[in-house]
Amino acid sequence: GDQVTFLGINIRDPDVAPAQAYARSYEVPYSSIHSPDGEALLPFSIPPRSIPSTIVLDAQGRIAATIMGRVPSKLTLTSIVETVLSEGGSGG
């Protein structure tokens, strides 16, 4: 079946401990990368002032959609992911 993987990139905390505490507190169900220098954002061309942002990659690792700022709703993100999955499945 189709698989979707979520990954967080934390650029705000100079130390990893607060991010880990946040993830435990809120039971964040996905892994995160700690990148206080913002280097992990470079491949995605996201300006640091646009955080939080959400990027959806296709099966080939290409950027299929970007949402700058907060995701308006869970339905929006679900719709985008389903569209990307369907395009990836039919594109060959």
Side-chain angles (χ1 to χ4, degrees):
D2 295 321
Q3 281 195 338
V4 176
T5 302
F6 290 87
L7 177 68
I9 301 176
N10 178 358
I11 66 164
R12 293 245 167 117
D13 296 306
D15 181 34
V16 73
Q20 289 172 332
Y22 177 90
R24 277 192 307 274
S25 249
Y26 291 95
E27 298 179 357
V28 176
Y30 50 82
S31 299
S32 292
I33 294 171
H34 183 245
S35 181
D37 60 4
E39 189 174 333
L41 296 179
L42 293 177
F44 306 112
S45 303
I46 293 194
R49 293 195 176 154
S50 297
I51 301 302
S53 292
T54 301
I55 301 166
V56 179
L57 303 178
D58 66 12
Q60 288 75 42
R62 298 175 299 213
I63 296 174
T66 303
I67 301 169
M68 297 292 189
R70 295 191 185 279
V71 176
S73 73
K74 185 177 177 182
L75 184 60
T76 301
L77 184 56
T78 302
S79 171
I80 291 169
V81 169
E82 286 175 349
T83 300
V84 172
L85 286 171
S86 68
E87 289 171 354
S90 63

